[in-house]
Amino acid sequence: MENVGLSMEKKAPERKRLHFGSETCRQGPEPGASEMPSLKDLFDASGPTHLTYVNWNCPHHRRSVMASLVQGVYVLERDRQWNRQGPDARAPAWWRFFHFELRQVLVDAADGSIFGAVYAFQPPFHLLDPAAAASAPHHVVAFRGTIIKKGSAKRDLELDLQLVRNGLEGKSRFRVAMQAIHDTVAAAAGQHYRVWLAGHSQGSAIATLAAKTLARAGAAVLPTFLFNAPFLSAPVERIGDRRVRQGIRIANSFVTAGVAAVLQRGGGGGGVHDASFAALAAWVPNLFVNPADPISAEYVGYFDHRRKMEAIGAGAVGRLATRNSVKDLLLGIGKGGGGCEPLHLFPSAVLTVNRGPSPDFKTAHGIHQWWRPDLALECTAHYYS
């Protein structure tokens, strides 16, 4: 783990530069970097510059700032790959605009890539509305998702595979993330609710695992913002006919509950027990998904389906199915206890769905959508009982 304070933002010694049109970058990007830096890395070109005042009591403002801090981690890594330093670095604008400072970068020792950051909120001396800033976090720990560039792709894709196998917990990237969160919570001196977590795609999986670990241990319940979190399941939400979707989910619930019951009776690991699942109910993450995104879309149906199972008198089956998946039940055979707990399943959430048009996968899965001011959002709170 590498600690980086304000010195990271100081001006580096001048080096020879190359000019590409209106872009300026340092000579010698990492081998395998894209031919041209993306304008999406520039806060002034792509960021929420309209958000000149942040009301921390407003969910839209919170969403936009948290997404921007996650984007800051993406740009930190691309700055590293492009050797952009000092005044050429593009990442600092993504946190400075909202009065945050970079306190620590989280580095994966396997490839030297930056995958996370710890930010500290430094409010201006003269606030227009002190009450609105009173709800702000003191620290935010943010994690990026996969970057398909040579400098990080191999490690990122390896960890994507570990997500499918439920093996993220044993990896060094998660251990570095967990240590940073522990240190930040300890420094909060009992105000752990002022430490927020945020992540996008694979980064949201890291944030989820960390938050669930702390909540189940009774250590802390941290406000968490999960953007396009992976839901490892068949893409039922993409089926156009609502009745067909509902029928598939009902059948899947009975199959999942049946497998869990058989494994319980056979002693092969009976899945996640209700008490263990309910212990997480106090943790209510803010979950942001796009139904056009095949990676996260299943969360839309996951929560709504629980209500439908109660309505048809199959609540017990629904509750058993909602905390298990067939894949993870089978992975847990012979491991004893509860087997493998599905990372992507959790009891409660405030689900925000972007119902606006998304022309392609990059738009539907991208982090940039979440700070747009013109989103068509549908927000629903779901609590486990």
Side-chain angles (χ1 to χ4, degrees):
M1 186 185 304
E2 180 180 345
N3 289 308
V4 179
L6 297 180
S7 60
M8 187 173 181
E9 303 179 43
K10 292 180 181 178
K11 184 174 180 180
E14 287 294 325
R15 295 168 57 187
K16 183 180 178 182
R17 300 176 187 175
L18 298 179
H19 297 271
F20 299 92
S22 61
E23 306 261 356
T24 302
C25 68
R26 295 198 177 277
Q27 187 175 14
E30 257 195 16
S34 58
E35 293 182 1
M36 286 291 291
S38 172
L39 288 176
K40 287 188 175 182
D41 288 354
L42 290 170
F43 182 84
D44 288 341
S46 302
T49 54
H50 63 278
L51 204 59
T52 56
Y53 162 73
V54 176
N55 180 352
W56 287 98
N57 295 316
C58 174
H60 301 299
H61 288 194
R62 292 197 300 266
R63 181 193 72 245
S64 297
V65 177
M66 291 302 103
S68 295
L69 295 180
V70 172
Q71 173 68 356
V73 182
Y74 275 107
V75 185
L76 273 169
E77 170 56 17
R78 286 193 281 265
D79 279 349
R80 182 191 73 87
Q81 293 189 17
W82 272 89
N83 294 319
R84 297 190 300 234
Q85 303 174 33
D88 291 334
R90 296 181 172 185
W94 291 93
W95 58 80
R96 287 176 176 169
F97 188 85
F98 303 108
H99 305 290
F100 282 86
E101 292 179 352
L102 180 65
R103 290 295 175 85
Q104 184 180 356
V105 295
L106 307 182
V107 177
D108 192 323
D111 63 354
S113 64
I114 297 170
F115 71 91
V118 180
Y119 302 104
F121 184 52
Q122 300 293 326
F125 291 111
H126 303 290
L127 292 173
L128 295 175
D129 186 358
S135 302
H138 288 174
H139 292 87
V140 175
V141 187
F143 306 100
R144 67 165 175 84
T146 303
I147 296 179
I148 309 297
K149 302 297 178 188
K150 188 174 181 180
S152 55
K154 181 180 179 181
R155 178 63 168 169
D156 284 356
L157 293 173
E158 174 194 332
L159 292 173
D160 287 340
L161 179 60
Q162 290 301 319
L163 277 178
V164 177
R165 300 172 57 188
N166 246 351
L168 187 61
E169 189 171 7
K171 294 301 177 181
S172 61
R173 182 174 292 193
F174 176 71
R175 291 195 296 269
V176 170
M178 200 67 202
Q179 186 61 57
I181 295 169
H182 274 303
D183 293 344
T184 306
V185 169
Q191 292 186 306
H192 54 76
Y193 60 92
R194 308 301 290 270
V195 177
W196 294 9
L197 305 182
H200 175 249
S201 194
Q202 182 190 111
S204 68
I206 294 175
T208 296
L209 182 55
K212 290 174 79 170
T213 300
L214 291 172
R216 181 167 283 117
V221 177
L222 304 183
T224 308
F225 295 77
L226 307 174
F227 299 96
N228 300 90
F231 191 107
L232 306 175
S233 175
V236 179
E237 190 63 26
R238 304 297 300 278
I239 298 173
D241 192 305
R242 180 183 59 81
R243 291 172 297 179
V244 172
R245 291 199 306 268
Q246 185 173 337
I248 292 173
R249 288 195 172 109
I250 290 173
N252 182 66
S253 290
F254 277 95
V255 170
T256 302
V259 172
V262 168
L263 291 177
Q264 273 186 334
R265 287 196 298 268
V272 181
H273 296 288
D274 187 66
S276 175
F277 197 66
L280 295 172
W283 174 61
V284 186
N286 299 277
L287 183 61
F288 304 93
V289 304
N290 188 318
D293 172 24
I295 292 177
S296 65
E298 283 308 296
Y299 276 113
V300 178
Y302 169 70
F303 287 104
D304 188 53
H305 177 62
R306 296 200 315 211
R307 289 200 295 256
K308 287 186 171 61
M309 292 297 286
E310 293 284 351
I312 66 173
V317 172
R319 284 190 294 275
L320 183 55
T322 200
R323 61 181 188 262
N324 291 287
S325 75
V326 172
K327 172 184 72 70
D328 294 288
L329 286 167
L330 297 177
L331 285 173
I333 291 176
K335 295 185 178 181
C340 289
E341 178 186 340
L343 175 63
H344 60 287
L345 305 184
F346 33 83
S348 306
V350 176
L351 178 67
T352 300
V353 182
N354 180 8
R355 295 291 186 183
S358 298
D360 51 38
F361 169 75
K362 288 184 68 175
T363 303
H365 188 66
I367 189 69
H368 286 73
Q369 66 185 297
W370 297 113
W371 57 70
R372 287 177 51 190
D374 58 345
L375 293 177
L377 299 179
E378 177 184 289
C379 185
T380 312
H382 300 270
Y383 300 100
Y384 185 76
S385 60

